[in-house]
Amino acid sequence: DQQVKQNSPSLSVQEGRISILNCDYTNSMFDYFLWYKKYPAEGPTFLISISSIKDKNEDGRFTVFLNKSAKHLSLHIVPSQPGDSAVYFCASRDNYGQNFVFGPGTRLSVLP
Amino acid sequence: EAQVTQNPRYLITVTGKKLTVTCSQNMNHEYMSWYRQDPGLGLRQIYYSMNVEVTDKGDVPEGYKVSRKEKRNFPLILESPSPNQTSLYFCASSFTGMVNTEAFFGQGTRLTVV
């Protein structure tokens, strides 16, 4: 059973608008959440993270929101740029600092 | 420069011919892992290792072997590759026991089994 879910396989957004990527998880032991970005022919690269003691973390155009009671997190990109077009993976790690678990990814297309 | 290095980047092989994909990291990470990425299925974990001589199965371990004899290296071994193992493979590493750290990924190995 998938512990980290990204129910939207793809998302298209106009340049300059907000992109919202969603992620749900099932394991209440998960304590740290990460977003990775992946371009074709490259490995995933770390984008932003959030600890379960916070509900929001911001880094420039990227903000991650965590709703622990709903086991839901989202990544907001404002404003979206064509260079943001990539596959975004949501991931989590339990509070023992053990294994990473990744979601299936959402392909974001930012249209000029 | 901190990095995870996989070799080869591209490999075409025939069914049944044993192969090894190497992975090496220079960050002194305890944790290392292998993933495969397939269209529509995202990143699925094959095997992971929490430290030297400690390995465990991920979600899709069938047909794969790993070993962790040294901290920096975590090779992925396909004893008898089959066409359903055609995929894009990624190695990753991180510190163990520290929750608030990210995993670093290699550039990927595209494997085709004919």
Side-chain angles (χ1 to χ4, degrees):
Chain A
D1 187 31
Q2 217 168 45
Q3 297 186 75
V4 177
K5 303 176 185 181
Q6 294 176 258
N7 292 324
S8 298
S10 63
L11 175 68
S12 291
V13 172
Q14 209 67 37
E15 181 179 4
R17 306 295 288 266
I18 184 171
S19 295
I20 300 176
L21 294 90
N22 293 304
C23 176
D24 297 288
Y25 62 97
T26 58
N27 191 337
S28 57
M29 296 299 288
F30 288 156
D31 218 34
Y32 186 60
F33 305 91
L34 311 93
W35 284 94
Y36 280 79
K37 178 177 179 179
K38 185 186 177 306
Y39 292 121
E42 295 182 13
T45 54
F46 171 72
L47 185 60
I48 192 169
S49 63
I50 188 166
S51 165
S52 61
I53 61 173
K54 295 185 174 182
D55 55 18
K56 176 183 174 181
N57 188 28
E58 197 171 347
D59 183 2
R61 295 185 298 113
F62 303 91
T63 303
V64 56
F65 295 92
L66 174 64
N67 183 334
K68 204 172 176 186
S69 61
K71 295 191 178 70
H72 176 83
L73 60 155
S74 60
L75 174 68
H76 292 211
I77 306 173
V78 184
S80 301
Q81 300 173 354
D84 296 328
S85 297
V87 177
Y88 289 79
F89 292 101
C90 173
S92 60
R93 199 176 202 190
D94 65 35
N95 60 3
Y96 298 105
Q98 303 292 318
N99 201 20
F100 287 91
V101 179
F102 283 81
T106 296
R107 181 177 299 280
L108 173 65
S109 300
V110 180
L111 309 172
Chain B
E1 182 192 352
Q3 57 185 7
V4 178
T5 304
Q6 294 177 229
N7 280 298
R9 291 290 310 275
Y10 302 92
L11 179 59
I12 301 174
T13 190
V14 296
T15 298
K17 185 177 181 182
K18 180 179 179 179
L19 67 92
T20 299
V21 184
T22 64
C23 175
S24 179
Q25 50 93 7
N26 63 0
M27 294 169 278
N28 202 35
H29 287 160
E30 299 91 0
Y31 173 94
M32 296 187 76
S33 181
W34 278 101
Y35 300 85
R36 59 179 286 175
Q37 184 188 13
D38 301 291
L41 297 175
L43 287 172
R44 293 184 295 168
Q45 191 179 53
I46 303 170
Y47 268 95
Y48 66 98
S49 169
M50 303 305 288
N51 214 324
V52 176
E53 302 291 0
V54 180
T55 63
D56 208 347
K57 295 178 180 178
D59 298 320
V60 288
E62 294 77 22
Y64 303 94
K65 281 176 56 177
V66 294
S67 69
R68 188 89 183 274
K69 294 184 169 57
E70 312 164 273
K71 201 172 189 179
R72 64 182 292 127
N73 296 322
F74 190 45
L76 179 69
I77 303 155
L78 284 72
E79 295 270 3
S80 183
S82 61
N84 65 12
Q85 292 178 299
T86 292
S87 187
L88 180 57
Y89 291 87
F90 291 101
C91 178
S93 75
S94 177
F95 289 111
T96 298
M98 292 171 58
V99 176
N100 297 353
T101 56
E102 71 265 29
F104 295 82
F105 281 82
Q107 290 283 72
T109 296
R110 183 166 291 283
L111 172 66
T112 302
V113 184
V114 298

